[in-house]
Amino acid sequence: MNVPSLDRVIVRSPGKVNLFLAVGELQDDGYHELASAFQALSLFEELTAIPSETFEISVTGDVDVSGVPLDDTNLALRAAKLLAERAGVGAGVHLHIHKGVPVAGGMGGGSADAAAALVACDALWNTGLHTNELHELAAELGADVPFALHGGTAIGVGRGDKLHPVLTRGRFEWVLAVAGEGLSTPVVYGELDRRRDAHRADLPIVPVLPRVDDEVLHALRAGDAARLAEALHNDLQAAAVALRPELKRVLEDGVAAGALIGIVSGSGPTIAFLCADAESALMVRDELQHAGYNALYAYGPASGTRVMSS
Ligand code: C5P
């Protein structure tokens, strides 16, 4: 057993937006084959890991944290326990999370917490695991956890967990409109399957191996927000809007406020608006706030999960 030698480790992990999300057919394991382009955004989860005999968690936030589970279903707690088990660590840990990513919003906040817990506990317990091994544990915890470790901008295939970094130039400016109540990811995927089954004859064939449109990669490499706006796509958007029809209005209001385009982030219900520049993003945020929305500014790409201090 490794004896903890640090008295605390503080780690930061980013939320994300899917710039492109192509969803293939449902597989036997309950997951869909995906092709996704992720971008990490400057909304962060900050996790502090403190040595403890047992496993405990506490949560505060800049966002509403009332929906965060504090029991064994919490993904950060599961991450810490999984790492302890695999690395043969006998100790526990107290995790404190301060959330900056909207809860159940489709922005990967829970995945960021899990990535943060892996990195923090790895440092606290000095497990000596290789980065590849941490990545494997991350993929076991959830499809989006490896990207939260990695950060930046990346293509994800398979379940979304097999990552390839993408070249980008400059910064992209975003405004997030956060809806009050979260949407469940499995429910949104289920709605997509249901809609596909009901309308199969009228829909294009679902590709066995979905891929990200090259235009996304060109726009990212050119640092061209207007071009990227044309290329953004999310196969889950229609399902999320069907489950939450008021999202259509949110999408329209952001564009009317000056955004280049809005897109459902992941499985929603957060709407991500891409803006031409920082000045325009701040104006869009202010106008949406004025209209009564909970709107946040962020830029991307942000770096992945990092130890801030120990
Ligand atoms: O991996 P994670 O727990 O984040 O996934 C949550 C749910 O999202 C899965 O249980 C599944 O219903 C759905 N999902 C999927 N295909 C993927 C990723 C997630 O169907 N590639």
Side-chain angles (χ1 to χ4, degrees), residues 225-239:
R227 193 169 173 187
L228 183 61
E230 296 284 319
L232 294 180
H233 174 77
N234 183 356
D235 271 351
L236 292 177
Q237 177 149 325

Side-chain angles (χ1 to χ4, degrees), residues 26 30-34 111 141-144 158-160 185-187 189:
L26 180 62
Y31 278 79
H32 296 75
E33 191 72 24
L34 297 187
S111 300
L141 288 159
D144 290 347
R159 291 179 173 190
T185 303
V187 169
Y189 274 98

